[in-house]
Structures are given as structure tokens and as C-alpha cells.
Amino acid sequence: MKKLNVGLIGYGFMGRAHSNGFAKVNHFFDLEHQVVLKAACARDGGKVKAFAARWGYESVETDWHKLIQRDDIDLVDIATPNNTHAEIAIAAAKAGKMILCEKPLSMNGLEGKKMVEAIEKAKVPNMVWYNYRRIPAVALARQLIDEGRLGRIFHYRAKFLQDWTISPDLPQGGAGLWRLDIKAAGSGVTGDLLAHCIDTAIWLNGSIDKVSAMTETFIKERKHNLSGKVEKVGIDDACAFLARFSNGSLATFESTRYARGHKALYTFEINGEHASIFWDLHDLHRLQYFDHRDEGKLRGWRSIHVSDGDHPYMKNWWVPGLQIGYEHSFVHQVADFLQGVESGKPARPTFRDALETQYICDAVLKSAQTRQWEKVPKVTRTA
Ligand code: NAI
Ligand code: SOE
């Protein structure tokens, strides 16, 4: 097997989720590459050493510039806050590395476009970690749509609800709270949560033409952990938008960090002329399906336990009936990425594909300002 040496940047939540994906993938998927945890990188030398020892990385770096220049690194994995993605990805592309980058691709569309240009110029394999595409029940939804079971699509409805920023005493910025700092995050729930909903939506239902949005920042000022001063909050705490898809269907999207009782409630529903689909992250191994063509007296919502050998990804795991979870979507993402490299047919979403989501986020935030419908610039998806 060919060795594939990974250099991971960032050892937080996603650093762990990705490391688990890299560590497991060869146990469950037949690949031509053997993934090697070559180096972990973060700024705190002591902490990164402890992380590397725990996860089995062979070496550490405290400066990502050094990591991407190393000859023994094949793939750079970016698991750092949003404001670092572009600089690292563009430098890694110049150094000829394969790149996996966390979502959202960039701080905004302009920055994302530069990233796409850099990786396409360098012709390096690349992918963005929109991992929800790789939950078996979500992949099954895509199969059912591709098979034409829903017929013409009328409605797409998505929401992503959390409740962790309700306290006005919560500071913004720095480790753990960079998501509240506009300079590190680029936006609030739009880039952090709705980006996931948008990625899934455009994968399942095609492109979005225009959007009309409203946003709100409920807590206007918070103490900043880096400056120690009370500063204006620049992020959107909540966002709701209407959208029109190119296929004629209508959509509503909603996200907030102020929905008391909800920790990570991501749901979507699609209504077609023959059938409907509903999915819920809290019950991620199930897909709800209603088919109007069923015999009348038996017609009803089916709750499909997506754990059988003929369901997407499931033949690689346990025996039928035994479900898998959140972390497996990252194993699937690594497997799909490597199969794409091996077959020459790139796995999605590439940086180019993720730019489409970035443009939609930009249009949403612009519409919230202008109070007008905003058109979404077109992106040609990866062939
Ligand atoms: P985190 O705050 O848990 O970890 C960030 C890590 O980056 C920390 O280890 C920090 O020390 C490191 N870091 C920051 N600046 C750095 C620099 N200049 N050089 C080296 N290391 C640096 O953040 P989390 O939750 O892991 O998020 C990271 C990225 O992953 C974000 O872009 C976020 O949007 C995305 N994300 C995606 C998820 C998904 O579902 N696909 C879930 C959670 C986060
Ligand atoms: C925020 O709490 C967060 O971790 C996002 O950053 C992720 O992208 C999402 O998958 C879960 O929630």
C-alpha cells in the first residue's frame, strides 16, 4: 500500500474528529493508501505533544508554515478557526500538498474564490469537511431523490438550532469562543450552522438562485477575551431566510443559538409530488419517508433504520440492525476522499463546490442588510 502522510493543523473538536477518521479508515475501507498520522501542529508545544502522544502522531510542529514545507507531509488537514483557512490552504497548495479544509471554506466568497484559484492552479486534490453528506441516512435521501421517487420537488425546509450563547455574561473571542468573534469567524450562525444546511440542500436539491434573509444579534456587546474590553458583537446570533431553487422549489432555512433546549437540532424536510423525506441529526441513523403511492390503508410515514448492508456505507460496518454515529461521517469522508484520489474522480464537495455555499452565505448576509431579495452568483460545480 502507498503511504499517505497526514499533517493535521489544530487539535480542538475537529482535530479529534478528523484524527479518529484517519485512524479508523484503513480498518473499515479497502483503499490503496495507508494513512499515516505523521505530524500534528498547534501553537502550544506542550499541548500539541500531549495530543500527538494520545492520538499516535509521529511528530509535532508549533508553526504551520514549517509543517506545510515538510517533504514527508502529503496531505495538510486544516482544523483551525475560519480566519486561518485561506492563508493555510493557499500556502499548502503552493507547496503541492493535498488539502482537506474545515467548513466554512472561507470568511467570505471573495476569499473563497482566491482559495479555489490557488488549489486549481496547483492541481492538488482538495475537499471541504461538509461531513453531514456522509451520514448514511442523508446519503440514502440523495439516492431516493436520484431515483426520482419524490418526483417534482416543491419544498425544502431546514433548521439548525442551538442554545449555548444565551447568557450575556459569555465573553467573545479566544480559545473556545472564537465563534462569537466576527474577526475569527467571519459570521455567526450563517457560516457556522446554516453553511451545513446549505451544503446538504444544494447537494440534494440543486442550486439556489436567490434569497431573502433576516438576521439578529440579540446581545450587542460582550467582553472580548483577547482585549479584555467590552466590544461590539459583530456576528449574527440568529438568521432565517427564504430561498428559491433553480428547480422551482421554495425553501425556508432557520438557525439560531438562542433556541433554549436545543443543542444541535439539525433537521431537513423535502416535499415532492409523490413522496416526502425528513431527517433529524438527533436520530441520525433514521430516515423518515412518506410515499403517497403506497396502498391507501397502509399509507403512512416509514421510519427507515438505515443500518442494512444495502444502505450507503453500511456494508463497511457491523451486521444489519446495528447503527453507527456522528464520528463515522468523518471516517466516510476520508474514505471517499482517498477513493477519489485513487480513481481520479474527485470526491465532493471540493473547494469549488464549497464556494457555492460561501456565495449563498454572502447573499444571505447581504439580503439581511439590504432587506431585498439577493441573487446568488453562479459557480460551475466540479465535473
Ligand atoms: P476548536 O476551537 O475546538 O479548535 C481549534 C484549534 O485550532 C485549536 O487547537 C487551536 O489551538 C488551533 N489553532 C488556532 N489558530 C491556530 C494557528 N494559527 N495555528 C495552529 N493552530 C491553531 O475549533 P473546532 O470546533 O475544532 O473548529 C475548527 C474548524 O472546524 C472551524 O472552521 C469550524 O467551523 C469547523 N467545524 C466543523 C464541524 C463540522 O461539523 N464539520 C464541527 C465543528 C467545527
Ligand atoms: C457549533 O457549535 C458547531 O460545532 C459547528 O461549528 C459545527 O459545524 C456543527 O456541525 C456543530 O456545531
Side-chain angles (χ1 to χ4, degrees), residues 101-346:
C101 181
E102 256 309 338
K103 53 55 64 178
L105 175 65
S106 52
M107 297 284 275
N108 53 53
L110 195 64
E111 196 183 71
K113 188 161 173 280
K114 288 184 191 152
M115 295 166 80
V116 172
E117 283 163 4
I119 53 99
E120 291 187 348
K121 187 168 173 214
K123 297 191 171 62
V124 290
N126 60 92
M127 200 180 188
V128 178
W129 290 94
Y130 279 115
N131 58 301
Y132 294 110
R133 290 188 183 200
R134 292 182 160 79
I135 288 177
V138 178
L140 179 61
R142 166 77 193 236
Q143 274 185 11
L144 300 180
I145 293 166
D146 285 352
E147 288 164 11
R149 287 175 193 261
L150 273 69
R152 180 178 165 194
I153 306 294
F154 298 122
H155 293 289
Y156 195 100
R157 212 169 287 114
K159 59 188 183 204
F160 206 138
L161 310 180
Q162 298 189 331
D163 71 354
W164 61 281
T165 64
I166 294 176
S167 168
D169 298 331
L170 191 71
Q172 59 171 316
L177 290 168
W178 60 265
R179 281 178 179 80
L180 278 76
D181 177 0
I182 188 77
K183 293 191 284 301
S187 70
V189 294
T190 301
D192 193 38
L193 302 176
L194 283 173
H196 281 301
C197 303
I198 294 166
D199 175 74
T200 317
I202 62 177
W203 183 57
L204 294 178
N205 198 35
S207 295
I208 287 176
D209 288 339
K210 48 185 169 180
V211 297
S212 174
M214 59 179 173
T215 57
E216 184 54 70
T217 304
F218 295 116
I219 310 286
K220 311 283 187 209
E221 292 185 326
R222 292 182 187 273
K223 188 175 152 218
H224 200 292
N225 274 330
L226 301 182
S227 68
K229 294 188 188 133
V230 174
E231 291 185 18
K232 186 174 172 246
V233 174
I235 57 154
D236 42 304
D237 285 338
C239 175
F241 74 95
L242 303 175
R244 284 188 178 273
F245 280 89
S246 305
N247 66 6
S249 56
L250 307 182
T252 61
F253 291 82
E254 184 195 359
S255 185
T256 179
R257 293 181 180 139
Y258 288 71
R260 186 63 88 197
H262 293 301
K263 304 300 168 194
L265 185 73
Y266 174 18
T267 60
F268 67 78
E269 178 165 339
I270 311 173
N271 308 124
E273 80 188 287
H274 305 304
S276 290
I277 278 172
F278 174 80
W279 178 78
D280 174 353
L281 175 57
H282 287 184
D283 219 0
L284 58 80
H285 51 279
R286 287 191 176 273
L287 189 68
Q288 311 292 334
Y289 179 73
F290 177 95
D291 198 323
H292 183 68
R293 291 159 299 192
D294 287 347
E295 189 190 342
K297 63 179 183 243
L298 293 176
R299 199 183 287 145
W301 280 89
R302 303 175 206 176
S303 174
I304 305 169
H305 194 247
V306 185
S307 60
D308 221 328
D310 52 8
H311 286 139
Y313 300 106
M314 290 309 297
K315 71 175 183 339
N316 293 85
W317 296 100
W318 318 116
V319 297
L322 301 185
Q323 69 216 30
I324 58 170
Y326 171 75
E327 70 273 27
H328 298 81
S329 62
F330 296 91
V331 184
H332 299 162
Q333 177 120 9
V334 181
D336 287 347
F337 175 75
L338 290 177
Q339 278 162 2
V341 170
E342 290 160 10
S343 67
K345 199 167 176 303

Side-chain angles (χ1 to χ4, degrees), residues 359-378:
Y359 282 161
I360 296 167
C361 290
D362 278 8
V364 164
L365 294 168
K366 185 173 175 197
S367 166
Q369 295 285 325
T370 62
R371 299 179 181 223
Q372 308 279 334
W373 280 85
E374 294 293 339
K375 278 196 183 155
V376 178
K378 294 281 167 239

